């Protein structure tokens, strides 16, 4: 890895958008920022991995750029008024063979020159987060009827989205489900607002079917100090946002941690419809 890194100048900052990595081919999502923390868009590049800075590097694994933008009225006030809201994402499919710490080096072409950006990640042996093929946890989600029509109790997005009409418990094992855990107004990573906007847009852009779209907030009473909602805890999530799609048999069909694009959501929903 040192040999590769020594051939390119240090440039942007590479910030992972995922906290859970397990052995096997992993979706490694990350943001790319210049030194003033401005997000860098559409830079061609790839990542390499190694067990240490002096170990053999594996790669390159191409990093594709994904926009987090939405059209027209799908852009919420929550995101439009947040200067730190995520606008872009890079994704690479990286095969991590074993648990442990890894050095990640990204190489990107900016202004006709090749620059490097590095970080360190930890790959864990396993987790309790539901994986593809697992039975989806049994939870209930609140609808407008449960809160007297006051959507502010179950949705921090402004304006409120259209993903609260179905109780997850009523759909599980009967209908495909798109379940997003996100808190647009309280998100620490500034990613939740954009991905909820994306889910809202994709929901309305897809052909009508019986898929249940559910947005689940993270904190009790929408207050960080009140702790996590039981639904979030039941899924054993280490952070947010997170999106799951569930098929008619009640099995996890796809899961995405962190930022995701409209294209990724569409593919996840398609997986639940098979």
């Amino acid at each position: 890895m040192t040999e590769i890194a020594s051939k390119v100048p240090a440039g942007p900052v590479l910030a992972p958008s995922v906290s859970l990595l397990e052995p096997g081919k992993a979706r490694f999502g990350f943001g790319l920022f210049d030194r003033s923390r401005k997000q860098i868009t559409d830079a061609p590049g790839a990542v390499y991995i190694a067990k240490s800075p002096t170990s053999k590097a594996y790669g390159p694994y191409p990093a594709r750029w994904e926009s987090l933008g939405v059209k027209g009225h799908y852009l919420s006030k929550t995101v439009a008024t947040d200067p730190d809201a995520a606008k872009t994402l890079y994704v690479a499919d990286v095969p991590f063979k074993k648990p442990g710490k890894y050095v990640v080096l990204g190489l990107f072409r900016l202004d006709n020159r090749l620059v490097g950006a590095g970080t360190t990640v930890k790959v864990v042996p396993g987790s309790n987060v539901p994986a593809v093929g697992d039975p989806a946890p049994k939870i209930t989600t609140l609808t407008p009827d449960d809160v007297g029509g006051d959507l502010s109790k179950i949705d921090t997005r402004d304006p409120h989205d259209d993903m609260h009409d179905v109780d997850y418990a009523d759909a599980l094992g009967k209908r495909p489900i798109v379940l997003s855990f996100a808190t647009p107004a309280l998100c620490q990573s500034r990613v939740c607002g954009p991905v909820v906007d994306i889910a809202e847009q994709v929901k309305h852009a897809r052909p009508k079917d019986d898929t249940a779209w559910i947005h689940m907030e993270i904190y009790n009473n929408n207050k960080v100090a009140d702790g996590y909602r039981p639904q979030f805890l039941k899924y054993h999530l280490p952070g947010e946002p997170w999106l799951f799609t569930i098929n008619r048999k009640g099995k996890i069909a796809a899961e995405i941690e962190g930022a995701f694009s409209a294209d990724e959501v569409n593919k996840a929903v398609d997986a639940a419809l098979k």
Side-chain angles (χ1 to χ4, degrees):
M1 182 71 84
T2 303
E3 183 179 355
I4 297 175
S6 66
K7 294 180 180 179
V8 295
V13 175
L14 190 157
S17 66
V18 295
S19 62
L20 179 62
L21 294 168
E22 298 179 74
K25 182 177 286 188
R27 175 189 176 273
F28 180 63
F30 59 93
L32 201 61
F33 303 84
D34 65 20
R35 295 298 173 175
S36 65
R37 297 299 295 174
K38 181 180 179 181
Q39 297 174 55
I40 297 172
T41 62
D42 207 10
V47 299
Y48 293 81
I49 61 171
K51 290 294 290 181
S52 75
T54 57
S55 298
K56 178 181 178 180
Y58 294 89
Y61 306 110
R64 59 189 181 274
W65 176 73
E66 304 274 4
S67 172
L68 301 183
V70 293
K71 300 177 181 178
H73 67 277
Y74 293 111
L75 177 63
S76 64
K77 292 180 181 178
T78 310
V79 173
T81 58
D82 181 2
D84 296 323
K87 299 178 178 64
T88 187
L89 168 73
Y90 291 84
V91 179
D93 297 317
V94 181
F96 294 101
K97 292 184 177 181
K98 298 178 180 180
K101 290 184 178 180
Y102 287 81
V103 176
V104 178
L105 174 66
L107 298 183
F108 299 91
R109 187 164 296 281
L110 296 175
D111 301 324
N112 292 320
R113 63 192 183 100
L114 199 61
V115 296
T119 190
T120 301
V121 299
K122 184 177 181 180
V123 176
V124 298
S127 77
N128 291 322
V129 176
V132 172
D134 289 345
K138 295 180 179 180
I139 60 173
T140 60
T141 56
L142 299 179
T143 66
D145 290 341
D146 297 315
V147 292
D150 185 0
L151 285 176
S152 67
K153 293 182 178 180
I154 55 174
D155 186 1
T156 63
R157 183 179 185 263
D158 181 13
H160 300 308
D161 58 68
D162 296 331
M163 296 182 284
H164 302 283
D165 294 338
V166 179
D167 180 350
Y168 172 103
D170 293 337
L172 184 63
K174 302 173 184 175
R175 302 166 57 182
I177 299 173
V178 180
L179 173 66
S180 59
F181 286 96
T183 179
L186 303 173
C187 193
Q188 300 300 309
S189 66
R190 317 315 307 153
V191 168
C192 296
V195 299
V196 173
D197 287 2
I198 286 170
E200 180 83 340
Q201 176 177 281
V202 173
K203 174 189 175 182
H204 289 279
R206 289 184 65 90
K208 298 300 180 183
D209 54 32
D210 64 339
T211 300
W213 291 74
I214 301 172
H215 163 210
M216 183 71 231
E217 284 284 337
I218 305 301
Y219 300 105
N220 289 316
N221 305 311
N222 295 333
K223 296 180 180 178
V224 176
D226 289 353
Y228 295 117
R229 291 179 183 259
Q231 295 91 341
F232 180 81
L233 295 174
K234 193 69 177 287
Y235 264 77
H236 303 286
L237 302 180
E240 34 72 21
W242 213 295
L243 181 136
F244 294 88
T245 62
I246 302 161
N247 63 26
R248 289 183 175 86
K249 296 180 180 179
K251 299 288 185 68
I252 302 292
E255 46 124 355
I256 310 174
E257 182 192 1
F260 49 77
S261 66
D263 183 57
E264 290 185 293
V265 176
N266 273 308
K267 289 178 180 177
V269 180
D270 288 343
L273 299 178
K274 292 179 180 179

